[in-house]
Amino acid sequence: MFKRFDPSHDTSTSTQVKASIQRSLKSQILDRHKSITEDTLEVLLPKKSPLVQYKVGSHMMLYCKRSEHEDKSPTDEPVLFQHRDGPIMPTLKLLHRYPTLKFTQVTVDKGAIPFLLGGANVMCPGLTNPGGEMPADGSEQDEHGFDKPGLKKGDGVVIYAEGKEFAIAVGTMTMSSLEVRGKNKGIAIELMHYLGDGLYQTDEI
Amino acid sequence: MSETVAIPEDNDSNLLPRRSVVYCGACGMPPEYCPYGPDFETHCDPWLARHHPELRALLAERRGTVVTAPASVKPTTDVPTPARPAHPWTTADRLTAFYEQYVPDKVDSVPALLEKYAGKEDKLFLALTKKYGPEPSDPYYSDSADYDDDEESNDDDADDDDNRVPADGADVTSDSNQKNKKRRGAAAKKVSEGTVATRVVVQKISQRKRRHLTVIQGMETVPGIKLKDASKMFSKRFAGSSSVKETAVGTKEIIIQGDHQVDVAEMIVDKFGVAESCVFLDMDGDVVPLR
Ligand SMILES: [Zn+2]
């Protein structure tokens, strides 16, 4: 989605995010990513410093932290993004900087690394091969007594790579983790943002 | 990374510790991902050796590689590409490789030829390829599968082992070879008629916030080059996207992401064999010769 992103062409003018919107961004993140606590998120996105938002194309919203400077106009650093009404996800550079900030995550085996660096979607075997990891299914049951999947279709995930320290990409599950394990065929994660894409190369706008 | 402001976050470092991240000065990746890029040995590894030798040693250890001088570090085991030469061919290398393939007993005449055709190397190569066949490809640029599948190397294969029976689709193979040959013949003819003078201009365009583009105009005036192939090679060499666009006046230009003005110009001379006198740099509107 950000393969050829270029902030000088592709962004609208910025507007300040309303306090109510910023609250709902945070509550949605807390709801979807259980390892992130409210206190941590308050440190990351303090109430007193509102984010600014840029519209990218017609369906992408990019949220940035603004820095004021004495000698030049303010600069905005991308921190979160949301495609249509999909999951709100962090930029890779934000994740790299805060090693304890744990969004819901998966790991691909090292064979998948070159493909992801080219912007390709994650195929099921990348997660099910030795070296790949996904949250376990069945730690909870639904009202009919069936196992709940560790990841649902549509969940936003941060993608790590076998043997690497830094996150490699961010994407959306196109099937549940149960289906990924069961079918083990086809696209498991649609890639949104990856190392080397236009968003990654944008430190500030 | 520009740490422009001290955000009070650091007071809460217990809740959300912040680390400063090293990104490769050559390709911009976290260095553990550099070996997957096209410039690992030529750019990334030397940069890492100079600026973060400890990190370089640590990463090499994780990959199971013995650390030696930067240039001789082998690709990691999980990158299945053969070791590449550190530099692209010079014109002399290129000519030597050509002679070694087609007329090995005359390799000794290479220095004399270079002297005789100084500044007219493109004509020399054009004449040689017409007489003997396609040029051998520089191993520096043939590091990935899609380049090995290049039409020229297919031709090489066909020429080398005529007796080999293709697994299937023999007709298709020979057919496409013929087409390629025809195309090359037509392109060569057009040039030999002297209708187009070779003139390549490389320009750097600055966009907002340290973003640049490199624009090459006139590559279509270089004999025997396909713009798409050239674009692909630039993209590979400079680890950025590259595209061919038609300009308003109907000529074609190649646009590469990033500021590579001088490197591109040198590559046009070294790799594509264009005479230096035909390559120009556009310095903010002033078109100056490369040398
Ligand atoms: Zn690098």
Side-chain angles (χ1 to χ4, degrees), chain B residues 24-31 33-35 39-40 43-45 47:
Chain B
C24 174
C27 74
M29 292 282 168
Y33 289 101
C34 283
D39 296 328
F40 175 61
H43 293 71
C44 299
D45 198 43
W47 181 87

mmCIF file of all heavy atoms in Angstrom, chain B residues 24-31 33-35 39-40 43-45 47, ligand 1:
data_model
loop_
_atom_site.group_PDB
_atom_site.id
_atom_site.type_symbol
_atom_site.label_atom_id
_atom_site.label_comp_id
_atom_site.label_asym_id
_atom_site.label_seq_id
_atom_site.Cartn_x
_atom_site.Cartn_y
_atom_site.Cartn_z
ATOM 1 N N CYS B 24 21.391 1.225 8.359
ATOM 2 C CA CYS B 24 22.524 1.202 7.429
ATOM 3 C C CYS B 24 22.623 2.520 6.661
ATOM 4 O O CYS B 24 21.640 2.985 6.093
ATOM 5 C CB CYS B 24 22.362 0.044 6.452
ATOM 6 S SG CYS B 24 23.596 0.029 5.153
ATOM 7 N N GLY B 25 23.813 3.102 6.656
ATOM 8 C CA GLY B 25 24.016 4.362 5.957
ATOM 9 C C GLY B 25 23.994 4.203 4.446
ATOM 10 O O GLY B 25 23.859 5.170 3.712
ATOM 11 N N ALA B 26 24.102 2.965 3.973
ATOM 12 C CA ALA B 26 24.112 2.736 2.522
ATOM 13 C C ALA B 26 22.716 2.444 1.987
ATOM 14 O O ALA B 26 22.309 3.001 0.975
ATOM 15 C CB ALA B 26 25.052 1.594 2.168
ATOM 16 N N CYS B 27 21.965 1.558 2.666
ATOM 17 C CA CYS B 27 20.665 1.162 2.107
ATOM 18 C C CYS B 27 19.485 1.548 2.990
ATOM 19 O O CYS B 27 18.354 1.416 2.567
ATOM 20 C CB CYS B 27 20.638 -0.340 1.813
ATOM 21 S SG CYS B 27 20.520 -1.371 3.280
ATOM 22 N N GLY B 28 19.747 1.986 4.227
ATOM 23 C CA GLY B 28 18.663 2.448 5.091
ATOM 24 C C GLY B 28 17.960 1.366 5.880
ATOM 25 O O GLY B 28 17.034 1.640 6.642
ATOM 26 N N MET B 29 18.369 0.102 5.701
ATOM 27 C CA MET B 29 17.722 -1.010 6.405
ATOM 28 C C MET B 29 18.359 -1.195 7.781
ATOM 29 O O MET B 29 19.494 -0.784 7.993
ATOM 30 C CB MET B 29 17.935 -2.309 5.614
ATOM 31 C CG MET B 29 17.220 -2.354 4.309
ATOM 32 S SD MET B 29 15.506 -2.730 4.600
ATOM 33 C CE MET B 29 14.863 -2.369 2.998
ATOM 34 N N PRO B 30 17.655 -1.888 8.692
ATOM 35 C CA PRO B 30 18.382 -2.376 9.859
ATOM 36 C C PRO B 30 19.484 -3.306 9.323
ATOM 37 O O PRO B 30 19.199 -4.132 8.466
ATOM 38 C CB PRO B 30 17.319 -3.170 10.627
ATOM 39 C CG PRO B 30 16.009 -2.642 10.148
ATOM 40 C CD PRO B 30 16.237 -2.259 8.707
ATOM 41 N N PRO B 31 20.732 -3.157 9.808
ATOM 42 C CA PRO B 31 21.837 -3.876 9.173
ATOM 43 C C PRO B 31 21.659 -5.390 9.084
ATOM 44 O O PRO B 31 22.228 -6.019 8.196
ATOM 45 C CB PRO B 31 23.036 -3.520 10.058
ATOM 46 C CG PRO B 31 22.687 -2.174 10.590
ATOM 47 C CD PRO B 31 21.192 -2.195 10.820
ATOM 48 N N TYR B 33 19.305 -6.853 7.901
ATOM 49 C CA TYR B 33 18.637 -7.143 6.631
ATOM 50 C C TYR B 33 19.482 -6.763 5.410
ATOM 51 O O TYR B 33 19.102 -7.040 4.277
ATOM 52 C CB TYR B 33 17.291 -6.415 6.554
ATOM 53 C CG TYR B 33 16.236 -6.988 7.468
ATOM 54 C CD1 TYR B 33 15.925 -6.378 8.679
ATOM 55 C CD2 TYR B 33 15.557 -8.157 7.126
ATOM 56 C CE1 TYR B 33 14.961 -6.909 9.533
ATOM 57 C CE2 TYR B 33 14.594 -8.695 7.961
ATOM 58 C CZ TYR B 33 14.295 -8.064 9.169
ATOM 59 O OH TYR B 33 13.345 -8.589 9.988
ATOM 60 N N CYS B 34 20.621 -6.098 5.630
ATOM 61 C CA CYS B 34 21.457 -5.653 4.497
ATOM 62 C C CYS B 34 21.833 -6.778 3.531
ATOM 63 O O CYS B 34 21.846 -6.558 2.320
ATOM 64 C CB CYS B 34 22.737 -4.993 4.994
ATOM 65 S SG CYS B 34 22.479 -3.325 5.599
ATOM 66 N N PRO B 35 22.173 -7.989 4.028
ATOM 67 C CA PRO B 35 22.624 -9.023 3.086
ATOM 68 C C PRO B 35 21.587 -9.364 2.021
ATOM 69 O O PRO B 35 21.919 -9.967 1.010
ATOM 70 C CB PRO B 35 22.890 -10.239 3.981
ATOM 71 C CG PRO B 35 23.174 -9.663 5.312
ATOM 72 C CD PRO B 35 22.293 -8.437 5.424
ATOM 73 N N ASP B 39 23.432 -4.382 -2.748
ATOM 74 C CA ASP B 39 24.708 -3.680 -2.562
ATOM 75 C C ASP B 39 25.406 -4.053 -1.270
ATOM 76 O O ASP B 39 26.171 -3.277 -0.719
ATOM 77 C CB ASP B 39 24.465 -2.161 -2.577
ATOM 78 C CG ASP B 39 23.949 -1.690 -3.917
ATOM 79 O OD1 ASP B 39 24.342 -2.307 -4.919
ATOM 80 O OD2 ASP B 39 23.144 -0.750 -3.946
ATOM 81 N N PHE B 40 25.115 -5.233 -0.765
ATOM 82 C CA PHE B 40 25.660 -5.585 0.547
ATOM 83 C C PHE B 40 27.178 -5.519 0.572
ATOM 84 O O PHE B 40 27.772 -4.821 1.394
ATOM 85 C CB PHE B 40 25.174 -6.979 0.957
ATOM 86 C CG PHE B 40 25.799 -7.453 2.235
ATOM 87 C CD1 PHE B 40 25.602 -6.752 3.418
ATOM 88 C CD2 PHE B 40 26.587 -8.588 2.268
ATOM 89 C CE1 PHE B 40 26.180 -7.175 4.603
ATOM 90 C CE2 PHE B 40 27.171 -9.022 3.451
ATOM 91 C CZ PHE B 40 26.962 -8.310 4.622
ATOM 92 N N HIS B 43 28.513 -1.752 -0.743
ATOM 93 C CA HIS B 43 28.182 -0.530 -0.012
ATOM 94 C C HIS B 43 27.919 -0.761 1.472
ATOM 95 O O HIS B 43 28.504 -0.106 2.316
ATOM 96 C CB HIS B 43 26.949 0.140 -0.633
ATOM 97 C CG HIS B 43 27.196 0.677 -2.009
ATOM 98 N ND1 HIS B 43 27.367 -0.143 -3.106
ATOM 99 C CD2 HIS B 43 27.321 1.942 -2.466
ATOM 100 C CE1 HIS B 43 27.579 0.601 -4.175
ATOM 101 N NE2 HIS B 43 27.554 1.865 -3.819
ATOM 102 N N CYS B 44 26.996 -1.686 1.788
ATOM 103 C CA CYS B 44 26.551 -1.848 3.175
ATOM 104 C C CYS B 44 27.684 -2.326 4.075
ATOM 105 O O CYS B 44 27.951 -1.732 5.124
ATOM 106 C CB CYS B 44 25.401 -2.858 3.251
ATOM 107 S SG CYS B 44 23.957 -2.375 2.313
ATOM 108 N N ASP B 45 28.333 -3.413 3.677
ATOM 109 C CA ASP B 45 29.335 -4.010 4.542
ATOM 110 C C ASP B 45 30.504 -3.050 4.805
ATOM 111 O O ASP B 45 30.925 -2.897 5.945
ATOM 112 C CB ASP B 45 29.807 -5.342 3.951
ATOM 113 C CG ASP B 45 30.508 -6.189 4.999
ATOM 114 O OD1 ASP B 45 30.001 -6.258 6.139
ATOM 115 O OD2 ASP B 45 31.569 -6.743 4.695
ATOM 116 N N TRP B 47 30.351 0.162 4.826
ATOM 117 C CA TRP B 47 29.818 1.212 5.708
ATOM 118 C C TRP B 47 29.773 0.713 7.148
ATOM 119 O O TRP B 47 30.184 1.396 8.079
ATOM 120 C CB TRP B 47 28.414 1.624 5.259
ATOM 121 C CG TRP B 47 27.845 2.723 6.119
ATOM 122 C CD1 TRP B 47 28.009 4.067 5.949
ATOM 123 C CD2 TRP B 47 27.035 2.568 7.299
ATOM 124 N NE1 TRP B 47 27.366 4.748 6.952
ATOM 125 C CE2 TRP B 47 26.761 3.866 7.786
ATOM 126 C CE3 TRP B 47 26.527 1.460 7.989
ATOM 127 C CZ2 TRP B 47 25.994 4.080 8.940
ATOM 128 C CZ3 TRP B 47 25.769 1.671 9.130
ATOM 129 C CH2 TRP B 47 25.506 2.978 9.594
HETATM 130 ZN ZN ZN C 1 22.653 -1.737 4.020
#
